Amino acid sequence: MSSFALEVKSLTKKIGKKTIVDNVSFQVKKGEIFGLLGPNGAGKTTIIRMIVSLINRSGGEVIINGRDLDDEFTLAMDNLGAIVENPEFYKYLSGYKNLRHYERMALSDIPGSRIKEVTELVGLEEAIHDKVKTYSLGMRQRLGVAQAILHKPSLLILDEPTNGLDPQGIREFREYLRKLANEGTSVLVSSHLLSEMQQMCDRFAIIERGKLVVISSMNEEKETDIHDVEFEVNDSVRAADLVRRYFPDAGLAAKGLQRLSISAARDTIPEINRMLVENEILVYEIINVKASLEERFLEITGKEREAYQA
């Protein structure tokens, strides 16, 4: 059995002479939350719609839990749960009766206790017997997740799942996804809310103009050995002069009277600290500054656009 919940190989979508998705490949590991990021129109939703077979592929392969979608379509899809747009339900039925309806439609047998399990997992125990028309948007999203995982899929795919949710609803939804991942379900999620993706995902891919431009771990340091740090000192102006004199290759910016922002190789940071102390600069704190996902996203997509326009 494959060690990946999802493998996308050279996925391509063309409409006429226009290439919407261009040779995209990535893998989603078992038990991880993988984010698909990109500006509006980058091709994220097209990729997802091809994976779940809502639209045809122009080229490429989709393998779900080791099963090729072209060769074993039914078995591959049985390992998949998805919410591609806002989940739709029979509004005049209760949440429970909606889940019973989906249970009867499932390809594989679902034990009677499973509805209770997924209801508890998404936190709908108190409202599951209420009519769906009384549910808030957040509750409907949670019911959608319950329906999507009812048959215990190995992979859950969500396209913009937090659209319309308030901050509390987004936080709760993030916690439900982490709980699913901890129990072994892999999640592929597309979203434009970068701050939420930073808290939610283990790894991410950035799509720009239909092409995959980077795949990275959320905690991964930049491939170069350059680190951004902030020194808190008693005299940032004098400290900056010393750094310029002894370490002319270091990136440098004074941030107020007691803050000094420095970009330098990792092994250079303690040398800078030693030099400052030897020159009677008081160093109160050294803070490692990690770029936010938003900053990394803008940096990467900005470079891609410059290259495209060149």
Side-chain angles (χ1 to χ4, degrees), residues 64-79:
I64 300 173
N65 207 31
R67 300 185 184 279
D68 192 310
L69 208 57
D70 293 328
D71 299 331
E72 302 178 275
F73 178 82
T74 300
L75 293 174
M77 293 299 287
D78 197 33
N79 282 286

Side-chain angles (χ1 to χ4, degrees), residues 30-41:
K30 292 188 175 180
E32 81 168 341
I33 300 178
F34 188 94
L36 201 58
L37 309 179
N40 290 336

Side-chain angles (χ1 to χ4, degrees), residues 47 52 67 101 127 134 148 173 177 206 223 230 242 261 288 290:
I47 290 171
V52 301
R67 300 185 184 279
H101 175 68
T134 67
F173 195 81
L177 292 189
I206 293 179
E223 290 183 4
E230 282 190 4
L242 289 167
S261 178
N288 185 36
K290 290 186 178 180

Side-chain angles (χ1 to χ4, degrees), residues 191-256:
S191 178
H192 66 281
L193 297 176
L194 300 182
S195 60
E196 285 304 318
M197 294 290 269
Q198 183 160 17
Q199 297 181 68
M200 185 186 300
C201 298
D202 301 304
R203 291 190 304 136
F204 66 92
I206 293 179
I207 306 296
E208 172 74 2
R209 298 183 184 275
K211 295 183 179 181
L212 190 151
V213 295
V214 70
I215 295 179
S216 178
S217 165
M218 202 58 73
N219 297 318
E220 190 175 272
E221 295 290 344
K222 292 181 179 179
E223 290 183 4
T224 64
D225 191 38
I226 301 300
H227 287 241
D228 296 325
V229 296
E230 282 190 4
F231 279 73
E232 183 179 352
V233 296
N234 65 322
D235 187 343
S236 66
V237 175
R238 183 164 173 263
D241 288 339
L242 289 167
V243 173
R244 289 191 190 97
R245 186 192 313 168
Y246 290 100
F247 300 92
D249 294 332
L252 184 65
K255 301 178 70 175

Side-chain angles (χ1 to χ4, degrees), residues 249-297:
D249 294 332
L252 184 65
K255 301 178 70 175
L257 296 176
Q258 292 190 307
R259 289 278 179 179
L260 196 64
S261 178
I262 296 176
S263 295
R266 184 174 185 273
D267 293 341
T268 304
I269 304 300
E271 295 178 15
I272 293 174
N273 180 57
R274 184 184 303 112
M275 179 275 296
L276 292 174
V277 172
E278 288 175 351
N279 283 274
E280 299 182 345
I281 295 292
L282 300 179
V283 178
Y284 302 118
E285 189 175 19
I286 303 175
I287 304 167
N288 185 36
V289 180
K290 290 186 178 180
S292 70
L293 179 58
E294 182 176 11
E295 291 168 334
R296 295 169 73 183
F297 176 84

Side-chain angles (χ1 to χ4, degrees), residues 89-99 119 124-136 139-140 143:
F89 299 99
Y90 297 104
K91 295 180 181 179
Y92 289 91
L93 295 180
S94 68
Y96 177 81
K97 288 184 178 178
N98 270 278
L99 292 180
T119 299
L124 281 177
E125 305 99 305
E126 295 183 4
I128 195 61
H129 293 291
D130 296 340
K131 290 183 179 180
V132 170
K133 69 175 184 177
T134 67
Y135 283 16
S136 66
M139 292 168 71
R140 290 199 299 274
L143 185 63

